Amino acid sequence: MLKLIMCDLDNTLLPLYTQEKFVEIWFRDVARKFREHGLDPAKAINAMNDGCRAMIFNDGKKPNIEVFYDVACELSGYPRDVIAPVLDDYYSSAFETVREIARKNPYAVQIARLMREKADYAVIATMPMFPLEACDRRMRWVGLKARMFDLVTTCDYSSYCKPDPRYYAEILDDFGVKPDEALMIGNDVREDMEPCERLGIATFLVTDHMITHNLPYNRFRRGNYPVLIDYLNSLK
């Protein structure tokens, strides 16, 4: 029996029409929220953009959220106690508009249940650039809740981002799991499959909304949602 099953969220359990549209709506609505709070939206958004980029290249010395605020506050000139309430307000309200580009996934709940059944620990290994509230909200769009899992990787938890293999190694270390005792389910060859392969973690590539980045993928176990469910059911 596996000790740990990890699964990506966006375009794996939660299908989105396009990742680019997700980012477009996210920044558009955050800018509006900054304006509502009397801040310069252009200055704040530029700082947020660089803060997000800093998270992607985080070297592990600080949690992603700390790296984000270090950069965003320095570039915008706004202190954390000014920016943070705006983002908290956004994620608890206007973030819901992202739902307009989310698709239904009738398999999500079944996959989540099998993750719990087939391993000691079940983890949502999503790009850790969002707070838990934002992750939980997205999960609810396909019938899931954060509390159904042992961990959801957030900007507060992780000190790395995909595709850095250390992002996955951090999860393994926290649960005391060896690479050959884990499985990663995802849709992205570069962000999910390749770094896990480097660590020796078993993988399953979901093909329904697959992103290849023009990288070879035939060597990875793969299939659509029903094939994934059959595979999980086959695990001892």
Side-chain angles (χ1 to χ4, degrees):
M1 182 174 179
L2 289 168
K3 289 188 177 180
L4 171 67
I5 297 180
M6 300 176 284
C7 188
D8 177 52
L9 181 58
D10 295 328
N11 281 315
T12 300
L13 290 176
L14 172 64
L16 301 170
Y17 281 103
T18 67
Q19 196 71 24
E20 292 75 15
K21 190 66 176 176
F22 172 87
V23 174
E24 177 187 330
I25 294 172
W26 178 30
F27 277 102
R28 179 200 69 193
D29 292 345
V30 168
R32 290 174 180 170
K33 191 60 69 174
F34 276 115
R35 187 179 295 110
E36 289 175 13
H37 284 258
L39 305 182
D40 183 336
K43 183 189 297 185
I45 287 300
N46 286 336
M48 269 197 64
N49 186 58
D50 285 350
C52 289
R53 181 175 176 81
M55 285 194 284
I56 292 173
F57 294 101
N58 190 3
D59 62 5
K61 294 178 181 177
K62 297 180 180 180
N64 289 342
I65 188 64
E66 300 300 328
V67 170
F68 169 80
Y69 277 116
D70 284 350
V71 172
C73 293
E74 180 180 358
L75 293 180
S76 69
Y78 296 125
R80 181 168 178 167
D81 61 3
V82 170
I83 297 177
V86 179
L87 294 179
D88 290 345
D89 182 13
Y90 166 69
Y91 286 121
S92 65
S93 58
F95 186 67
E96 186 67 22
T97 60
V98 177
R99 187 171 188 167
E100 68 189 55
I101 63 165
R103 304 182 186 186
K104 295 180 180 180
N105 182 1
Y107 302 100
V109 172
Q110 186 176 2
I111 292 168
R113 288 173 178 165
L114 283 167
M115 289 171 65
R116 291 236 59 102
E117 178 185 328
K118 297 295 183 175
D120 295 335
Y121 307 108
V123 170
I124 294 296
T126 183
M127 188 66 138
M129 298 176 67
F130 295 93
L132 182 59
E133 181 172 7
C135 296
D136 187 55
R137 187 178 290 268
R138 292 182 356 255
M139 292 167 67
R140 288 173 183 268
W141 298 341
V142 286
L144 304 176
K145 297 177 183 178
R147 65 172 181 263
M148 297 168 62
F149 300 86
D150 296 292
L151 171 69
V152 177
T153 56
T154 64
C155 56
D156 302 277
Y157 166 82
S158 296
S159 302
Y160 305 96
C161 278
K162 299 178 182 184
D164 192 326
R166 291 176 294 181
Y167 160 78
Y168 294 98
E170 187 173 47
I171 300 171
L172 297 185
D173 289 345
D174 282 354
F175 285 96
V177 172
K178 298 175 183 178
D180 61 1
E181 298 172 325
L183 167 69
M184 175 61 190
I185 301 164
N187 72 299
D188 193 302
V189 174
R190 183 181 67 197
E191 294 189 353
D192 301 321
M193 301 294 105
E194 289 192 338
C196 286
E197 180 184 48
R198 287 175 61 184
L199 291 173
I201 299 170
T203 58
F204 189 99
L205 178 61
V206 179
T207 57
D208 295 79
H209 309 284
M210 183 170 61
I211 300 173
T212 67
H213 305 280
N214 294 317
L215 295 169
Y217 59 88
N218 288 337
R219 66 186 182 279
F220 298 110
R221 183 187 295 273
R222 63 193 182 279
N224 59 17
Y225 291 126
V227 173
L228 169 60
I229 288 170
D230 287 343
Y231 172 63
L232 291 174
N233 274 315
S234 73
L235 298 176
K236 302 300 184 182

